[in-house]
Amino acid sequence: MADVVVLGAGVSGHTAALHLSRLLPPGNTVTVVSPNSQWNWIPSNIWVGVGKMAKKQVVFPLAPVYRKRGIRFVQAKATAIRPRGDETSERPAVDVEYTAPDKARQTERIRYDYLVNATGPQLRFHATPGLGPDGGHTVSVCTADHAVEAAAALRDTIERLKAGQSQTLVVGMGHGTCTCEGAAFEYVFNVDHELREAGVRDRARLVFLTNEAELGDFGVDGMVFEERGFQTTSELWAGSLFRERDVQAILGAHVSRVEPGVVHYETLDGASHTLDFDFAMLLPPFGGVQLKAFDRDGADITEHLFAPSGFMKVDADYTPKPYEEWRAEDWPKTYQAVGYDNIWAVGIAFAPPHQISRPRKSANGTAIAPSPPRTGMPSGVMGKVAAMSIADRIKHGTSAPNHEASMAAMGAACVASVGEGLRTGSAAAMTMMPVVPDYQRFPTGRDLADTRGEVGLAGHWVKLMLHYLFLYKAKALPGWQLIPE
């Protein structure tokens, strides 16, 4: 019998735990450690952030779901991994600190046979002085609570517009190394939609501030779409939306600090700029959650298990090399941790071998380029694959081969809302194959037959359907396992 511990209950961790609960024979245990008591369908935070959905529509309590599935739930944050055990036992363990109100700050050491690190990101608002809703001067949609605050701030801005005051609204990335450009893209167009519905768009200046060197990069080096033999880039495709909606784009920007009503930023040419604002939703850069790692004798081995970013090193090629030498095969296939055959890191928790977009620095040497996205569909697939690999080892022995899900061989679908409404809504629906471009196999980096982009009301209906479908799946309701990741 084996004990499996999953750190994190986001898309990857929750998916892994649910699949483990159905794949493992009786007698084996699954434990989920998460500091949050609720699961959040993060893609719909966009709609919460403009007031189109309530928080209760995008979250639900985890404990009842895990209880139903026979999964132990520990509401705590992981603080350290001991992959070789400690002075009292050779069995590996994780140290946790409880966040549940009735046990807050109590600690426990949980033993495991297999570990899935799905801790997700640390939201590094602190990387940019003045950024963020907690002590900063900007709002966020990274969590459901952040999104509620953003909606209230947007509502106040719209009221000022209705009173005849001109307002500048800034949406985008709060640092040169941010990821999740797609979320900022969604939010800026949902804000535009709300302003138009309120009849105040003519008094609002709407600015998209991004670290992308080109519109439509999305952290994946952009895409090429082909329709009826004609090829177009995601840059032109996205740019048409910005022109149509009169959204001003500032590209290649690193936000250096935010003061009340003023964003300070640097551009790729090395110039420094300021941008006055009345409302600003700027996303933070991501990092690992800064788990520590210790050998059995207590020696700190964190740098062996984790990259400097705090993300866990897995079966990728981390050899430093020029952009021109990056290859699709550099990317991990199994997500097994380096040097440990019983640890996996999935979703945002694993360390990418390099960026997907072309790396860029300003004339002053400041890094201004999107970090690789690892959210949504790919994260769910990784969680399932890790669960399958662990289940096979438990059932068939440790020599059972790992299942694979390289982002260089995996496709992804993204439906980016550009306005909510059953009759007036719209969405940009995109598919790409593979996520990491492979220029050795495809001239454009991706298979044109499976890389497409369309905008329209149908996309909004798909986005809304996915909202309810994935909440159904995450609640482990009947037939949940039949819904693809």
Side-chain angles (χ1 to χ4, degrees):
M1 299 297 103
D3 298 316
V4 185
V5 174
V6 180
L7 304 181
V11 172
S12 267
H14 189 63
T15 300
L18 292 184
H19 282 293
L20 284 164
S21 73
R22 74 176 180 85
L23 293 171
L24 294 183
N28 297 282
T29 70
V30 179
T31 299
V32 172
V33 177
S34 173
N36 302 310
S37 64
Q38 294 183 314
W39 192 83
N40 177 202
W41 179 236
I42 293 174
S44 292
N45 286 354
I46 298 296
W47 288 336
V48 177
V50 293
K52 289 296 190 183
M53 277 191 174
K55 174 185 172 181
K56 65 181 181 180
Q57 292 177 271
V58 300
V59 300
F60 63 80
L62 286 164
V65 176
Y66 289 150
R67 188 163 49 247
K68 178 177 65 176
R69 299 296 306 176
I71 297 169
R72 181 191 177 204
F73 177 49
V74 176
Q75 190 183 336
K77 63 178 180 180
T79 58
I81 301 175
R82 301 177 185 273
R84 304 294 186 199
D86 56 22
E87 67 280 359
T88 64
S89 173
E90 294 183 358
R91 286 195 75 200
V94 291
D95 294 347
V96 305
E97 180 182 319
Y98 279 85
T99 58
D102 60 333
K103 301 179 72 174
R105 297 192 178 182
Q106 295 183 36
T107 61
E108 182 181 353
R109 186 163 292 174
I110 301 174
R111 303 287 172 180
Y112 69 83
D113 297 296
Y114 296 93
L115 180 69
V116 179
N117 176 14
T119 45
Q122 178 192 51
L123 303 176
R124 293 187 169 176
F125 289 105
H126 61 271
T128 302
L131 184 70
D134 300 319
H137 312 294
T138 62
V139 297
S140 157
V141 290
C142 292
T143 70
D145 285 332
H146 286 176
V148 170
E149 294 175 14
L154 179 61
R155 188 163 56 247
D156 290 344
T157 302
I158 290 175
E159 289 304 313
R160 291 194 295 271
L161 286 162
K162 287 181 176 179
Q165 301 177 41
S166 296
Q167 300 279 284
T168 296
L169 298 86
V170 180
V171 174
M173 319 310 294
H175 192 274
T177 63
C178 285
T179 185
C180 284
E181 287 74 17
F185 174 91
E186 285 191 275
Y187 193 73
V188 76
F189 287 113
N190 271 268
V191 168
D192 169 78
H193 186 78
E194 294 306 305
L195 295 174
R196 293 180 188 279
E197 282 201 339
V200 295
R201 184 64 177 89
D202 59 326
R203 288 192 288 276
R205 179 191 179 198
L206 188 53
V207 181
F208 184 66
L209 183 66
T210 181
N211 56 349
E212 301 162 276
E214 298 174 346
L215 289 174
D217 180 282
F218 296 121
V220 296
D221 206 27
M223 292 163 276
V224 175
F225 306 131
E226 183 177 68
E227 186 173 356
R228 299 175 185 175
F230 176 75
Q231 291 185 4
T232 187
T233 65
S234 55
E235 179 186 13
L236 291 172
W237 184 77
S240 65
L241 272 174
F242 281 82
R243 290 188 297 273
E244 178 184 299
R245 307 289 180 94
D246 192 27
V247 177
Q248 177 188 350
I250 298 175
L251 304 173
H254 162 69
V255 176
S256 56
R257 72 182 190 277
V258 183
E259 296 174 344
V262 184
V263 175
H264 296 261
Y265 67 94
E266 175 187 351
T267 45
L268 284 166
D269 60 5
S272 295
H273 308 266
T274 60
L275 176 61
D276 294 341
F277 69 86
D278 300 288
F279 169 94
M281 195 295 290
L282 298 176
L283 299 177
F286 290 173
V289 297
Q290 301 302 310
L291 278 169
K292 302 292 286 184
F294 298 99
D295 215 339
R296 192 176 180 194
D297 60 4
D300 192 321
I301 56 171
T302 304
E303 65 178 18
H304 299 295
L305 202 57
F306 295 93
S309 60
F311 297 125
M312 183 174 278
K313 292 185 281 190
V314 293
D315 61 315
D317 184 353
Y318 295 106
T319 306
K321 47 191 171 183
Y323 169 77
E324 291 73 20
E325 295 179 17
W326 292 352
R327 296 291 181 267
E329 55 265 28
D330 297 342
W331 283 74
K333 297 179 176 64
T334 69
Y335 305 96
Q336 199 164 63
V338 174
Y340 301 94
D341 64 359
N342 64 341
I343 301 176
W344 285 257
V346 292
I348 294 176
F350 84 86
H354 50 66
Q355 292 164 236
I356 302 176
S357 293
R358 180 182 293 271
R360 291 179 172 88
K361 291 184 178 181
S362 75
N364 302 319
T366 304
I368 305 179
S371 296
R374 286 157 287 151
T375 53
M377 182 177 174
S379 286
V381 173
M382 292 176 209
K384 181 179 181 179
V385 162
M388 293 167 65
S389 295
I390 292 169
D392 281 356
R393 288 183 174 226
I394 290 172
K395 291 188 287 188
H396 307 301
T398 56
S399 61
N402 281 311
H403 291 262
E404 298 182 354
S406 171
M407 288 176 63
M410 182 196 313
C414 175
V415 185
S417 173
V418 294
E420 198 277 343
L422 293 179
R423 291 187 296 174
T424 61
S426 185
M430 295 167 278
T431 62
M432 69 180 93
M433 171 63 81
V435 177
V436 176
D438 187 341
Y439 294 103
Q440 279 64 54
R441 293 178 58 203
F442 307 109
T444 65
R446 297 186 173 91
D447 186 347
L448 290 174
D450 293 313
T451 303
R452 300 181 177 277
E454 296 181 5
V455 180
L457 177 60
H460 171 71
W461 277 86
V462 171
K463 177 89 173 177
L464 193 62
M465 177 190 72
L466 292 174
H467 166 85
Y468 291 106
L469 193 67
F470 282 108
L471 281 171
Y472 183 96
K473 178 183 176 72
K475 291 176 181 178
L477 294 171
W480 68 268
Q481 70 274 20
L482 302 176
I483 300 171
E485 266 52 61

